[in-house]
Amino acid sequence: MHATAEATGRYAARFPGYGDRSFYRTVRGLQVSSLGIGTYLGGADDVTDRAYTEALIAAADGGINFFDCAINYRHQRSERSIGAALRHLNREEIVVCTKAGFLTPGAVPENLAARDVVARMHSMAPDFLEDQIARSRANLGVDAIDVFYLHNPETQLAHRKTQHFEDGIRRAFERLEQLAGRGWIRWYGVATWDGFRQPNLLDLLRMATIAAQVGGRDHRFRFIQIPFNLGMVEAFRNQVLETAAKLDITAVASASLMQTQVLRHMPDAARAMFPGLA
């Protein structure tokens, strides 16, 4: 079971006031809210688990159907909080995204070879990614993950030569295409902090070319996640957003409020656009 065009369409129709303001966007045929809910921060404890689950249900009841996570967020507990929330919601209405790449306590496969790990914390070995996706599906309680991101692949670049890095990306994408064909994931991409913001790290066009080589014209490399807010505009300045649009890749903004820090530094002209914002 996964998000469907029909179910997300019905979901968006329940909020006609939002629809009039273009709050919902068509993404890969799905009606997706412009705002999503992330699950990164917080303690690894039962109280935070319950708070997240309640917040996720409230978000869905209020018109937000885009949930973001990663297996390492709160040591798998954020994925499980989403799973708990989905049991109270219509799974087909919710677009569920998660990530893997960082080693997570309690979720490191015993057969992971040291040569496949950099800095004792990151891997994009195909078998490792398949293991992590299997664990994420169980944590989330879903048959298919709608969007799976390779998490901060630029972590590898400090330890791998360019050709070695590209070979690793190719092997990872080959396995992700296979898992998409198996129905474990629907689309994949990369979620990155510095990769597209700093020069000479990740090359989106090159990644899309590799995806096309391993997956053909209908490859599933269709998403990137990148920080984008009033204080971090590199995605626009470096033409990443423009390149993604040309490649038919959806760009998702992370850190859009920088954990609310942006609100404390808004210029007067921006504040005037949001009367009453505190």
Side-chain angles (χ1 to χ4, degrees):
M1 189 178 297
H2 52 71
T4 67
E6 182 179 5
T8 58
R10 288 197 305 267
Y11 177 85
R14 294 207 300 271
F15 304 92
Y18 292 174
D20 293 344
R21 293 169 173 79
S22 301
F23 181 73
Y24 294 101
R25 308 177 185 206
T26 303
V27 178
R28 317 307 314 173
L30 306 176
Q31 292 299 302
V32 180
S33 56
S34 293
L35 295 180
I37 180 168
T39 55
Y40 173 50
L41 299 177
D45 53 64
D46 293 345
V47 172
T48 306
D49 288 348
R50 289 192 294 271
Y52 258 126
T53 297
E54 292 171 2
L56 289 156
I57 294 171
D61 288 344
I64 291 174
N65 69 334
F66 195 77
F67 290 4
D68 183 77
C69 198
I71 191 169
N72 65 305
Y73 288 178
R74 299 190 312 115
H75 296 181
Q76 302 185 81
R77 297 182 77 129
S78 284
E79 286 189 332
R80 291 167 184 160
S81 293
I82 290 179
L86 290 176
R87 289 194 288 273
H88 298 274
L89 303 170
N90 180 347
R91 163 69 183 102
E92 295 182 354
E93 295 178 344
I94 308 298
V95 179
V96 178
C97 315
T98 196
K99 319 173 188 72
F102 290 106
L103 274 57
T104 301
V108 180
E110 293 182 358
N111 62 349
L112 180 61
R115 66 178 179 275
D116 291 327
V117 179
V118 302
R120 303 178 65 182
M121 67 174 180
H122 193 277
S123 179
M124 55 184 191
D127 288 347
F128 172 75
L129 295 178
E130 181 170 338
D131 172 272
Q132 300 297 279
I133 289 171
R135 294 174 192 265
S136 291
R137 291 168 67 227
N139 289 339
L140 295 162
V142 301
D143 297 320
I145 295 165
D146 295 303
V147 182
F148 171 79
Y149 296 106
L150 184 57
H151 201 176
N152 285 18
E154 68 270 23
T155 305
Q156 299 270 329
L157 283 170
H159 309 273
R160 304 284 193 230
K161 293 182 178 179
T162 300
Q163 187 57 53
H164 191 179
F165 174 76
E166 284 200 0
D167 289 344
I169 289 290
R170 184 181 302 276
R171 290 193 297 271
F173 283 10
E174 286 175 343
R175 183 63 60 87
L176 294 174
E177 290 286 347
Q178 292 170 10
L179 295 178
R182 201 184 300 174
W184 284 24
I185 63 176
R186 300 186 68 196
W187 301 286
Y188 65 92
V190 293
T192 168
W193 188 255
D194 291 324
F196 295 127
R197 295 173 50 239
Q198 296 186 9
N200 304 317
L201 288 180
L202 300 182
D203 184 331
L204 180 56
L205 179 58
R206 181 61 184 150
M207 285 187 156
T209 299
I210 293 172
Q213 290 171 348
V214 303
R217 291 182 59 186
D218 296 328
H219 64 83
R220 280 83 158 202
F221 177 64
R222 298 297 177 185
F223 285 82
I224 59 171
Q225 188 184 96
I226 181 172
F228 189 54
N229 57 57
L230 287 173
M232 303 170 75
V233 297
E234 296 91 345
F236 175 78
R237 188 174 64 206
N238 297 343
Q239 297 185 309
V240 177
L241 302 180
E242 181 179 342
T243 300
K246 290 178 179 177
L247 295 170
D248 192 24
I249 292 173
T250 298
V252 178
S254 62
S256 52
L257 296 178
M258 278 294 292
Q259 287 84 48
T260 75
Q261 293 180 51
V262 167
L263 301 181
R264 293 194 289 272
H265 301 283
M266 292 179 71
D268 290 340
R271 290 180 182 276
M273 297 171 65
F274 302 98
L277 182 66

